[in-house]
Amino acid sequence: MSKKLIVLGLAGAFLTSALLLKSRYNFSADLELKKLIAKVSPSPIPQRLNPVPKTVKAVYLTSWSAGNPEKINQVIELAKTTEINAVVIDIKDYSGKVAFETNSELIKQIGSKEIRIKNFKELIQKLHQENIYIIARIAVFQDLYLAETKPELAVKNKTNSKIWRDQKNLAWVDPASRKVWDYNLEIAKQAIALGVDELNFDYIRFPSDGDISNLAYPVYNPETETKFETIKRFFKYLNESLKPEGIILSADLFGQATFDESDMNIGQIIEDAYLYFDYVSPMVYPSHYANGFLGYKNPALYPYEVIDYSLESAIQRRVELFSRLASGTTELEQKKIKLAELRPWLQAFNLGADYTPEIVRKQIQAIDDNGLDFGWYLWNPNNIYNPKALKKE
């Protein structure tokens, strides 16, 4: 029996069982912030890609690449000659710079705009004409510019009250700050107004690299709320704020979140993401798993096995979550339960091993063998993608 059928059978067993079983933190945004956001009149939403592809196969582009016509032409050529039908574009990366022109008074006041993608609206229209689905990526709580410009929002070093830095010398803002939430919401809405098809949120977590024992937060209080409760509140906030816009939402999680039932001390629990997004996107890069994982001295050399294990766990946890939610409800109520689907990030860069087209295909095979048909995103920080790793249309 195929693995796909086994997984589907497991899912059916859980669902059958379910059928039989029949803020704290109250924040008021300051008036000035509300006035700044209110000054922006809602713009008519341009036509999004229609129909939306069920199976999205995307490559990642930095904002600099997205602003480079030559690189865009390369992506269009990939879409014409391979299975690629989508692109993930940074609109705010780790630097905190907003990469496209907006009419937001809030963004203007903060001064975070750095136009790397000229005429973003025209680029969106061009890609849509080529039937390419567009995902706008926002790095949320890792934000160098906002932390340095608004240090009252930054994660601090509790021994000297200076801005805390991670191992890459990057700064973070407080994941519990409603002002930070509202600022990122403003960026998201600006992108929606230009016609992007999906919003992808990354760095939706607490810091993990560096001396995390020395962190001090302006708002977050571990005595009254856990990290995962804070992140879950943020997930809920995004859902309630953006789903009425009709936009598709995806969330990037650590690959470890697929099988680790703790929040890994960063606030990420996969069940919480399942509740509030359309797609959960674990970053199952084999090179990022600890040496010794599944008994492999170098997990990067075993891409199929690492991803297969991770996805099996993520699927089982999703099925079990549905079973818990469906317990004691009617069939009609069960139909209203909406959980995110899995659409993982895959490794297309060399780290721990030479990631040849054959190794990239092994990762995709692990997705297929687990019965997932919602696609994947390919990550290469240099934005170089070998067509030999991708099937031809």
Side-chain angles (χ1 to χ4, degrees):
M1 182 181 293
S2 72
K3 180 176 293 182
K4 179 176 180 179
L5 291 176
I6 291 172
V7 171
L8 291 177
L10 176 64
F14 273 103
L15 296 180
T16 301
S17 173
L19 289 170
L20 292 173
L21 283 172
K22 283 283 139 221
S23 218
R24 177 208 57 80
Y25 175 58
N26 187 14
F27 179 92
S28 263
D30 45 74
L31 290 175
E32 190 59 31
L33 179 62
K34 288 184 177 180
K35 289 177 183 176
L36 285 168
I37 294 176
K39 284 182 182 179
V40 182
S41 300
S43 304
I45 298 176
Q47 184 69 41
R48 297 194 185 116
L49 190 64
N50 188 26
V52 174
K54 176 186 177 182
T55 305
V56 167
K57 300 178 180 182
V59 292
Y60 159 74
L61 294 181
T62 67
S63 51
W64 294 111
S65 288
N68 182 337
E70 181 179 349
K71 181 62 72 172
I72 291 299
N73 287 337
Q74 291 174 10
V75 170
I76 291 173
E77 183 63 19
L78 275 179
K80 288 179 177 179
T81 58
T82 74
E83 61 196 307
I84 292 300
N85 63 358
V87 61
V88 181
I89 296 175
D90 276 341
I91 59 172
K92 181 171 81 81
D93 61 13
Y94 65 89
S95 71
K97 294 298 183 73
V98 178
F100 64 104
E101 186 65 65
T102 78
N103 63 350
S104 167
E105 290 293 327
L106 175 59
I107 294 171
K108 181 179 179 181
Q109 184 194 70
I110 291 175
S112 52
K113 185 170 62 178
E114 181 176 80
I115 308 305
R116 303 171 183 176
I117 311 171
K118 294 181 180 179
N119 302 317
F120 190 30
K121 184 176 180 179
E122 292 180 13
L123 173 61
I124 291 170
Q125 292 171 344
K126 178 178 181 177
L127 293 173
H128 279 167
Q129 287 171 0
E130 299 291 343
N131 208 33
I132 295 174
Y133 180 81
I134 301 165
I135 304 144
R137 175 178 175 267
I138 299 174
V140 181
F141 300 125
Q142 187 186 67
D143 189 322
L144 180 63
Y145 184 85
L146 188 62
E148 292 183 339
T149 306
K150 300 287 184 181
E152 68 275 15
L153 303 176
V155 176
K156 301 289 180 57
N157 185 318
K158 66 183 178 184
T159 58
N160 58 22
S161 298
K162 292 182 179 180
I163 295 174
W164 181 87
R165 309 276 176 167
D166 62 20
Q167 291 177 344
K168 295 181 179 178
N169 203 35
L170 297 175
W172 292 66
V173 287
D174 191 337
S177 170
R178 182 62 180 268
K179 292 181 181 179
V180 173
W181 294 9
D182 287 340
Y183 170 62
N184 281 277
L185 177 65
E186 177 76 346
I187 296 167
K189 287 190 172 183
Q190 292 291 312
I192 290 172
L194 295 181
V196 301
D197 303 301
E198 177 178 327
L199 289 169
N200 173 259
F201 293 92
D202 201 355
Y203 290 93
I204 41 178
R205 60 179 177 84
F206 284 74
S208 63
D209 304 314
D211 185 6
I212 59 174
S213 65
N214 204 24
L215 300 180
Y217 296 92
V219 176
Y220 174 67
N221 183 354
E223 299 298 322
T224 56
E225 186 172 61
T226 63
K227 289 181 178 179
F228 71 82
E229 287 172 334
T230 296
I231 297 301
K232 184 176 182 179
R233 281 197 301 111
F234 179 64
F235 290 171
K236 184 173 186 287
Y237 163 88
L238 287 178
N239 180 288
E240 292 177 348
S241 301
L242 294 173
K243 288 310 293 180
E245 304 277 350
I247 195 72
I248 295 171
L249 303 177
S250 57
D252 298 343
L253 304 182
F254 272 11
Q256 186 178 339
T258 59
F259 58 86
D260 192 331
E261 296 185 2
S262 76
D263 74 347
M264 303 165 289
N265 201 30
I266 60 171
Q268 288 187 349
I269 292 181
I270 198 168
E271 285 84 355
D272 295 340
Y274 280 144
L275 291 172
Y276 295 112
F277 292 90
D278 297 293
Y279 295 95
V280 169
S281 304
M283 299 174 286
V284 287
Y285 311 137
S287 64
H288 285 37
Y289 286 68
N291 292 342
F293 179 72
L294 297 180
Y296 300 124
K297 185 176 180 181
N298 179 7
L301 294 172
Y302 300 88
Y304 180 91
E305 292 81 0
V306 168
I307 293 176
D308 180 53
Y309 177 87
S310 299
L311 295 181
E312 279 189 344
S313 176
I315 291 168
Q316 181 175 343
R317 290 174 68 176
R318 184 181 183 277
V319 170
E320 290 173 350
L321 174 61
F322 183 90
S323 180
R324 291 196 298 272
L325 294 174
S327 178
T329 66
T330 66
E331 186 174 352
L332 181 61
E333 290 170 328
Q334 290 163 19
K335 289 180 179 179
K336 296 178 182 178
I337 298 173
K338 301 295 182 185
L339 297 180
E341 303 289 354
L342 282 163
R343 184 186 284 156
W345 281 97
L346 300 180
Q347 181 170 341
F349 55 91
N350 296 331
L351 184 64
D354 184 11
Y355 265 60
T356 63
E358 292 74 22
I359 288 187
V360 173
R361 291 309 309 178
K362 286 182 180 180
Q363 296 176 91
I364 295 172
Q365 187 63 47
I367 292 175
D368 293 342
D369 288 353
N370 276 281
L372 300 175
D373 61 353
F374 298 98
W376 33 260
Y377 313 124
L378 286 185
W379 179 276
N380 182 313
N382 296 319
N383 303 168
I384 299 172
Y385 302 97
N386 191 330
K388 293 180 180 179
L390 306 165
K391 291 181 180 177
K392 295 188 183 299
E393 285 294 281

